[in-house]
Amino acid sequence: MGRARRLWRELEHGKRVVLIGPPGSGKGTQGARLATAWGIPHIASGAILRRIIATEDSDLARAARVINEGKYIPDAIANAIAFRELSKPEAESGFLLDGYPRDVAQAEALDAFLRQGKRRIDVAVELDIDPDLVVERLAGRLTCPNCGQTYHIRAMPPQKPGFCDRCGSVLTVREDDQPERIRYRFDLYREKSGPLVAFYREQGVLRTVDASVDEDGVFTAIVSAVMGAR
Ligand code: AMP
C-alpha cells in the first residue's frame, strides 16, 4: 500500500496517542503539529493548567499554582482535567495527550477511564533528549498563557515581538523555565517517567524517538513511529 493511502487509512481510523517527554523535548510544538495534521484534539495538561491559572479565581486555579515551582499537581486534579477533555465529542475518534499521564497512577486511571468507553491508547511516543540540550532550549522560551503556543527568543521569535501570532495575547516567560527549576523538573520527570515508560512498553505500545534533531526531523520520526505502530 502506498504511503499516501496508508496515511489516509490512518486518518480515517483516528488515533489515540500519548506524548511522553521531559521539559523542553518539544512535546507542545510537536503535539500541536501532529494534532493539526491528524485532525484530532491536542490535549496539553500543562497548557490547560496555565490557562486556568491565568483566567480563573477558583480553588482549582489556586491549587494549580504549584506548577510555577515545577512541582506536579495532584493526580486527582490531573485526571479530572484530562477526563473532561476526553469526554468531549471531538475526542471520540482520536486525541493526542501531551504531558498527561505523567506517572503510572495517572496512566492506570486513564486506562480505566478509556475502557469504560471501549477505547484504549494505541501508541505512546517517548521523546528522548539530553538534559543539557533541554536547558539551552528552555532558556529563551516564550509561552502564550492563553492558547499555549510557544516561541523561542532566537530560534523561533513571534512575528510581532512580545505577542502571540495565533491569538494576539502578551507572551510570558514561564516561572518554571528558570534554570534551577528546569533542573528540578527534569529530575522529577526522570523519577516518574521511568516506570511510566515501562508501563507502556509492557503494553506493547511504546515507541521511542530521538528528540534532539530539528523540529521537522522529530515530526517525521513521530509520524513514522505512530504509523508503524498499527
Ligand atoms: P508542561 O507544560 O507539560 O511542561 O507542564 C507544566 C507543569 O504543569 C508541570 O511541570 C506540572 O507542574 C504541571 N502538570 C502538567 N501536567 C501534569 C500532570 N499530568 N500531572 C501533574 N502535573 C502536571
Side-chain angles (χ1 to χ4, degrees):
M1 197 187 299
R3 190 177 163 81
R5 174 129 181 82
R6 273 201 359 241
L7 182 63
W8 176 242
R9 277 174 61 104
E10 291 293 319
L11 289 169
E12 268 181 336
H13 287 95
K15 214 169 248 85
R16 300 181 184 99
V17 181
V18 166
L19 264 190
I20 305 170
S25 57
K27 288 192 308 290
T29 307
Q30 298 294 341
R33 276 185 73 171
L34 293 161
T36 303
W38 289 328
I40 54 177
H42 174 209
I43 303 173
S45 49
I48 294 172
L49 287 164
R50 282 187 290 280
R51 194 162 52 231
I52 290 172
I53 294 171
T55 59
E56 285 183 19
D57 180 22
S58 61
D59 286 346
L60 175 57
R62 279 181 283 280
R65 279 193 208 132
V66 295
I67 80 170
N68 291 332
E69 293 158 42
K71 293 179 182 150
Y72 286 179
I73 55 158
D75 286 342
I77 301 183
N79 292 337
I81 287 173
F83 297 169
R84 190 179 60 186
E85 298 301 315
L86 292 168
S87 301
K88 294 181 179 170
E90 55 268 35
E92 187 49 44
S93 60
F95 51 77
L96 189 136
L97 284 167
D98 153 3
Y100 176 89
R102 248 177 163 92
D103 59 24
V104 172
Q106 291 181 12
E108 284 172 344
L110 172 65
D111 267 10
F113 174 81
L114 292 176
R115 231 177 285 128
Q116 289 168 13
K118 303 209 174 350
R119 296 186 287 176
R120 64 178 191 89
I121 295 301
D122 297 314
V123 53
V125 178
E126 178 196 19
L127 299 179
D128 187 30
I129 192 163
D130 176 350
D132 291 333
L133 200 57
V134 160
V135 175
E136 193 184 300
R137 276 192 190 176
L138 292 187
R141 177 161 78 171
L142 299 167
T143 303
C144 175
N146 181 47
C147 75
Q149 181 69 35
T150 56
Y151 301 87
H152 192 277
I153 230 154
R154 286 177 305 279
M156 204 183 37
Q159 278 167 12
K160 184 174 165 201
F163 294 90
C164 180
D165 292 347
R166 210 154 73 174
C167 73
S169 301
V170 175
L171 299 173
T172 55
V173 174
R174 282 171 48 173
E175 272 188 50
D176 60 349
D177 274 350
Q178 292 161 26
E180 73 284 358
R181 297 209 178 145
I182 295 171
R183 283 279 167 202
Y184 175 85
R185 286 160 61 209
F186 207 94
D187 290 346
L188 186 60
Y189 171 81
R190 278 242 171 94
E191 180 194 324
K192 302 284 186 183
S193 69
L196 178 65
V197 164
F199 176 89
Y200 284 118
R201 187 179 291 120
E202 269 163 39
Q203 290 194 358
V205 296
L206 181 75
R207 300 290 177 274
T208 300
V209 164
D210 177 7
S212 59
V213 298
D214 65 24
E215 192 187 312
D216 286 346
V218 178
F219 179 77
T220 308
I222 298 175
V223 171
S224 314
V226 171
M227 285 174 69
R230 294 170 67 123

